[in-house]
Amino acid sequence: MTSILARAATMIAPPFCWGCGADARMGDPLCAACRLELRWQGPDPVELEGVLAWAPLAYAGPARSVVAGLKYRGATALAEPMAAAIAAGAPAPMLLPGVPLVPVPIHPARRRTRGFNQAERIATALARRRGLEVVGCLRRRGSSRRQVGRDRHERHEGPAGAFVADARWVPRRAVLVDDVITTGSTLAACAAALRSAGCSEVIALAYARTPGR
């Protein structure tokens, strides 16, 4: 019944583009024009703050709008095409069978307000596509201040709040998953928590990465 209602709603109000508001194809968050504006990052991962990381897109233009749609407007269905973009282009060593995905956590207060963790939604969608396990072994505590709104110096000093890992569930190898990579300080803090709990190898994937990082 839900799918029937969803299709009926689409006929009344067709899917719109998160980049410009124009009509878009069903299941695609962007129209053809905005898809052409996407800045693809290429196949090579980069090392940020000691963590090897990769994202298919630059965090700019339409990709930035897609991230905002998921994170701030509650459009959780966007996690699927975001995960699809990661799965389609991720370098082979970044998504290996049997290596669990670990979503970057958000502060409990922010999760209560938002109702979900965007990184967890992307990780779950990615896991379904690749037959992987999602392990929620990280927690965030301390300040609930988000990265958006912090200046570049503050971001380089490290993420607001601290990360802790539950050693009972920490895998030997892990792939951190987030929506956006900015300076890499959040990934570094998460990786440090995982390593202190016994994880020997940590790499990271995201939908978008700040250009130049």
Side-chain angles (χ1 to χ4, degrees), residues 71-72 105-118 140 142-148 150 160:
K71 186 181 291 187
Y72 304 124
I106 59 177
H107 193 276
R110 193 162 301 285
R111 184 175 186 129
R112 287 193 296 271
T113 300
R114 189 171 296 164
F116 65 94
N117 173 8
Q118 66 279 356
R140 193 165 191 160
S143 172
S144 62
R145 188 180 179 189
R146 65 192 187 193
Q147 286 286 77
V148 174
R150 304 177 76 207

Side-chain angles (χ1 to χ4, degrees), residues 33-177:
C34 284
R35 288 198 302 274
L36 290 175
E37 293 183 20
L38 291 172
R39 293 169 55 185
W40 297 91
Q41 299 269 44
D44 298 325
V46 297
E47 186 171 328
L48 297 173
E49 303 285 335
V51 180
L52 196 65
W54 182 84
L57 295 163
Y59 184 46
R64 195 180 187 107
S65 298
V66 171
V67 169
L70 171 60
K71 186 181 291 187
Y72 304 124
R73 298 181 64 180
T76 55
L78 290 174
E80 290 292 339
M82 294 168 79
I86 297 171
M94 305 293 282
L95 279 175
L96 293 175
V99 180
L101 306 180
V102 177
V104 171
I106 59 177
H107 193 276
R110 193 162 301 285
R111 184 175 186 129
R112 287 193 296 271
T113 300
R114 189 171 296 164
F116 65 94
N117 173 8
Q118 66 279 356
E120 189 177 274
R121 293 298 180 102
I122 295 171
T124 299
L126 184 57
R128 282 197 299 266
R129 289 176 175 272
R130 289 299 188 94
L132 299 172
E133 181 184 5
V134 177
V135 178
C137 57
L138 283 173
R139 297 289 181 269
R140 193 165 191 160
R141 63 185 182 184
S143 172
S144 62
R145 188 180 179 189
R146 65 192 187 193
Q147 286 286 77
V148 174
R150 304 177 76 207
D151 62 31
R152 190 173 183 84
H153 175 71
E154 289 177 314
R155 292 187 183 198
H156 275 290
E157 287 184 335
F163 297 94
V164 293
D166 188 332
R168 296 173 299 173
W169 311 112
V170 169
R172 186 176 64 84
R173 303 170 68 192
V175 179
L176 285 168
V177 178

